[in-house]
Amino acid sequence: QVQLVESGGGLVQAGGSLRLSCTASGSSGSTFSINAGGWYRQAPGKQRELVATIISRDISAGTTNYADSVKGRFTISRDNAKNTVYLQMMSLKPEDTAVYYCNAEVRIGDYSYSYWGQGTQVTVSS
């Protein structure tokens, strides 16, 4: 079993920056790797939406994808050695306020599984 633990959320003024981290951890002795990671967000009364994704391994490693609303302001990255995916958020706007969720496709043995983090609140004040 693998767990995703997010950190880095908080309250920031418009124009400010935050960096979110999402670290995958497993039970003692478990071996796994992250194939791909992503960040999603859900604002009150709205559906969960994709923010950014990144491929961690194989020939497409490093390939990223962003929602139009965050292009040029957010950067997703990963550290395979730490099983961690990051989301650097800059020039934050009040409309970025949401609960941010990490998602990862984790390879365990011959199979891959999708996991979600518990979410971290990001609040941008005007």
Side-chain angles (χ1 to χ4, degrees):
Q1 185 71 10
V2 172
Q3 288 184 323
L4 301 183
V5 179
E6 298 140 337
S7 61
L11 173 64
V12 64
Q13 288 188 333
S17 301
L18 284 174
R19 189 175 84 152
L20 306 182
S21 299
C22 172
T23 299
S25 62
S27 55
S28 177
S30 62
T31 302
F32 61 91
S33 60
I34 297 178
N35 292 336
W39 288 93
Y40 295 73
R41 66 187 182 187
Q42 188 166 17
K46 295 187 177 181
Q47 289 188 329
R48 189 174 298 188
E49 63 176 2
L50 180 147
V51 176
T53 61
I54 186 167
I55 297 176
S56 297
R57 299 183 183 276
D58 301 325
I59 63 173
S60 299
T63 300
T64 58
N65 180 52
Y66 296 92
D68 288 342
S69 59
V70 307
K71 283 181 181 177
R73 300 188 298 121
F74 291 11
T75 302
I76 189 170
S77 61
R78 89 288 188 201
D79 185 331
N80 291 346
K82 295 181 179 180
N83 285 318
T84 299
V85 178
Y86 304 97
L87 184 68
Q88 178 68 51
M89 305 184 293
M90 302 180 69
S91 301
L92 283 161
K93 305 175 181 179
E95 51 263 44
D96 294 318
T97 295
V99 177
Y100 284 69
Y101 296 91
C102 172
N103 173 261
E105 180 186 291
V106 179
R107 185 176 185 91
I108 304 174
D110 294 332
Y111 301 94
S112 293
Y113 305 87
S114 178
Y115 292 94
W116 288 90
Q118 80 285 355
T120 185
Q121 177 70 47
V122 171
T123 303
V124 184
S125 63
S126 57

